[in-house]
Amino acid sequence: NITDREAVLALPDVVIQVHGAVDGIINNAGIIQRFVKINDLEFKDMERVFNVNFWGAVNVTKAFLPHLLKRPEAHIVNTSSMGGFLPVPGQTAYGASKAAVKLFTEGLRSELLSTNVHVTVVFPGAIETNISANSGVTMTAEAPADAPKIKMTKPAVAAEIIVDGMKKNKYRVLVGSDAKTMDFLCRLMPD
């Protein structure tokens, strides 16, 4: 449970005892909110999303960073989201939490530039996972039969792209054609 700060802070010692060292972490946990506007979303639901998406990444990073700094070379990957640069109505708290991960990662990278620890921020688009069910969000509306199908990236393909980005010490990694397209369009037309 990455929201349990005390448990997370104890994790490095356990991992190092079993494996000897840690050379990298990938903060990939994430949940979405119910598909409702902020006015209809309870504070506890927003806090849950931030606790997992943002504070979870911060907790794991803070726990492992002292150990990573002792390694000859290390890597931190934080998964933001296409929602971190493209606001989606009904997912405002989710997008804000992922934008916070983006900015946290960018700041962390600048702080670690002169160290042995590399930092990557990942922006996945639609990945073929059970994020709705894993978030406790029930999808009630079904898409019309003639609605265009969204091309989703397979999790194994996303993982390969992320690991390849780590190997190449990439600063930003976009996963999926949707993320690449939306990144381009958001830069071209910020409004």
Side-chain angles (χ1 to χ4, degrees), residues 18-61:
V18 172
H19 297 284
V22 175
D23 291 314
I25 57 172
I26 300 175
N27 289 307
N28 192 51
I31 59 171
I32 60 172
Q33 67 180 71
R34 290 183 303 117
F35 282 88
V36 297
K37 294 181 179 178
I38 287 295
N39 193 46
D40 300 319
L41 193 63
E42 295 182 37
F43 282 105
K44 68 178 178 63
D45 296 325
M46 289 185 272
E47 289 168 352
R48 180 175 176 258
V49 168
F50 265 87
N51 286 339
V52 172
N53 295 355
F54 176 68
W55 285 111
V58 172
N59 292 342
V60 173
T61 300

Side-chain angles (χ1 to χ4, degrees), residues 158-169:
E160 286 179 29
I161 293 168
I162 293 167
V163 170
D164 184 59
M166 285 177 75
K167 288 179 183 176
K168 294 177 179 173
N169 291 326

Side-chain angles (χ1 to χ4, degrees), residues 59-124:
N59 292 342
V60 173
T61 300
K62 286 279 290 173
F64 281 93
L65 185 55
H67 305 282
L68 297 174
L69 286 165
K70 295 175 186 173
R71 301 299 298 154
E73 186 175 19
H75 210 110
I76 297 171
V77 175
N78 290 332
T79 304
S80 178
S81 170
M82 181 173 73
F85 60 77
L86 175 73
V88 176
Q91 286 297 307
T92 299
Y94 168 80
S97 72
K98 290 302 191 171
V101 169
K102 171 193 178 291
L103 289 174
F104 171 72
T105 308
E106 291 170 349
L108 184 65
R109 179 180 182 264
S110 67
E111 290 180 5
L112 297 174
L113 276 175
S114 63
T115 73
N116 57 318
V117 181
H118 305 282
V119 179
T120 299
V121 61
V122 176
F123 300 98

